[in-house]
Amino acid sequence: MIESSSLPGDPSELYLRISYDDELGDTPQADTLELWNVAVLHCRHTSGGEQEPVGISGSVAPDAPPSTAEDIVVGAMTFYRIHLDRGRNAFWAMEEESEELYEIAQVLLDPETGFFTDDVSERLEYVGSALLVMDRVTLAPPWRGYGLAAAPACAAITRLMAGCRVIACSPGITDLSSRRLTDRSEWDRVNTRIA
């Protein structure tokens, strides 16, 4: 069980802000790849300010400190929605976008057609034609190590998966700025946990 006192805030106050910036560029690449950004926010309630607090009855509570809420970004996620049935060949569009997307394309897609390989298609029910790739998930250091990343990731997937036949990711360490991963034993521990 997670000790709530060791967390920097109440995890029930986490929520998502999902956004897609359409540059309105009518290009085959833009029709194939959609980049979705997800901010993981924490609604932090703070005391202080100039407003007087109001009690349940609508009257000012004389001894209660004023309270305000502010949204703090505690994480971020990046998703790609890849449309296999429009724009250009999805395999090559993913190869051009990033090495990570190319690795996923090599496993799931046929380079000739840009659609799922026969082997992949045989294993899946037909529920859509798109591919959703969870590209990055990052939490601020104080929020790490509690197993919290899965909950916002699942919530984002639920919102973005409509029309997707496959949801894919390639787990690994993306934040190498952390000094604690310079120790080989810590690197191995984190990789084992991801696996």
Side-chain angles (χ1 to χ4, degrees), residues 55-139:
I56 295 172
S57 66
S59 62
V60 174
D63 293 30
S67 177
T68 59
E70 73 179 307
D71 299 331
I72 307 295
V73 177
V74 299
M77 294 180 271
T78 305
F79 288 85
Y80 283 93
R81 227 180 128 86
I82 296 110
H83 297 278
L84 308 182
D85 58 353
R86 64 182 198 213
R88 63 182 293 215
N89 180 313
F91 183 92
W92 299 113
M94 291 171 72
E95 185 267 341
E96 212 170 271
E97 188 70 22
S98 75
E99 182 65 34
E100 291 83 7
L101 288 178
Y102 181 53
E103 288 174 6
I104 290 172
Q106 289 176 311
V107 173
L108 298 174
L109 304 180
D110 181 340
E112 298 283 325
T113 65
F115 290 97
F116 296 113
T117 64
D118 291 339
D119 185 42
V120 170
S121 288
E122 288 173 8
R123 296 174 186 227
L124 304 169
E125 290 184 39
Y126 185 81
V127 294
S129 60
L131 164 63
L132 182 65
V133 176
M134 183 169 57
D135 191 49
R136 300 254 189 261
V137 177
T138 305
L139 282 177

Side-chain angles (χ1 to χ4, degrees), residues 9-85:
D10 182 356
S12 69
E13 298 282 340
L14 294 173
Y15 68 97
L16 304 178
R17 182 173 298 138
I18 301 173
S19 63
Y20 168 68
D21 294 328
D22 190 347
E23 297 176 3
L24 301 178
D26 193 21
T27 65
Q29 182 86 354
D31 287 342
T32 305
L33 297 177
E34 294 177 355
L35 174 63
W36 289 82
N37 292 299
V38 180
V40 181
L41 301 163
H42 182 256
C43 182
R44 185 171 70 181
H45 299 279
T46 57
S47 294
E50 298 173 0
Q51 298 178 353
E52 291 189 330
V54 177
I56 295 172
S57 66
S59 62
V60 174
D63 293 30
S67 177
T68 59
E70 73 179 307
D71 299 331
I72 307 295
V73 177
V74 299
M77 294 180 271
T78 305
F79 288 85
Y80 283 93
R81 227 180 128 86
I82 296 110
H83 297 278
L84 308 182
D85 58 353

